[in-house]
Amino acid sequence: MRAVATVGVGYDNIDVEACTRRRILVTNTPGVVTESTADLAFALLMAVARRVVENDRYIREGHWTRWQFGMQWGAGIHGKTIGFYGFGRIGQAVARPRRRILHAHSL
């Protein structure tokens, strides 16, 4: 074996010490999943704010019978302040608003 590689930042699942003793190269790919992870974090934020899971369950269980004004709306995030616990690569990527807009011409 000449190398052990992992996709992502973490390498805590690799015995680096053993690889070093055997002169096996260990590599990771920091940054390669930053944007995808930020996309997922933003999607989860939107799902919670808009109560997506709760509303999905409500409909699937047959509780929804007709549209009612204000029913199950959730909260918008436009103009809101979002706090970050840690502000590393992923937190900074989530905070970049330019990434969060899908333009119709890019479809």
Side-chain angles (χ1 to χ4, degrees), residues 41-56:
F42 191 78
L44 291 171
L45 171 71
M46 291 297 299
V48 169
R50 289 299 185 167
R51 301 167 65 183
V52 171
V53 174
E54 178 185 350
N55 287 321
D56 176 71

Side-chain angles (χ1 to χ4, degrees), residues 26-98:
V26 175
T27 67
N28 64 346
T29 53
V32 75
V33 294
T34 299
E35 298 300 321
S36 296
T37 305
D39 288 345
L40 180 57
F42 191 78
L44 291 171
L45 171 71
M46 291 297 299
V48 169
R50 289 299 185 167
R51 301 167 65 183
V52 171
V53 174
E54 178 185 350
N55 287 321
D56 176 71
R57 184 174 295 120
Y58 185 82
I59 291 168
R60 288 178 190 266
E61 289 176 354
H63 301 294
W64 185 82
T65 57
R66 64 184 172 82
W67 181 83
Q68 291 177 315
F69 186 79
M71 181 179 169
Q72 302 285 347
W73 274 1
I77 64 167
H78 179 78
K80 300 290 193 272
T81 300
I82 300 173
F84 292 87
Y85 182 78
F87 202 60
R89 282 191 302 260
I90 294 167
Q92 290 176 38
V94 173
R96 285 195 289 273
R98 63 173 178 76

Side-chain angles (χ1 to χ4, degrees), residues 12-27:
D12 54 330
N13 58 332
I14 300 170
D15 189 342
V16 177
E17 200 173 292
C19 288
T20 302
R21 282 194 309 271
R22 292 172 178 82
R23 300 178 58 116
I24 298 171
L25 177 68
V26 175
T27 67

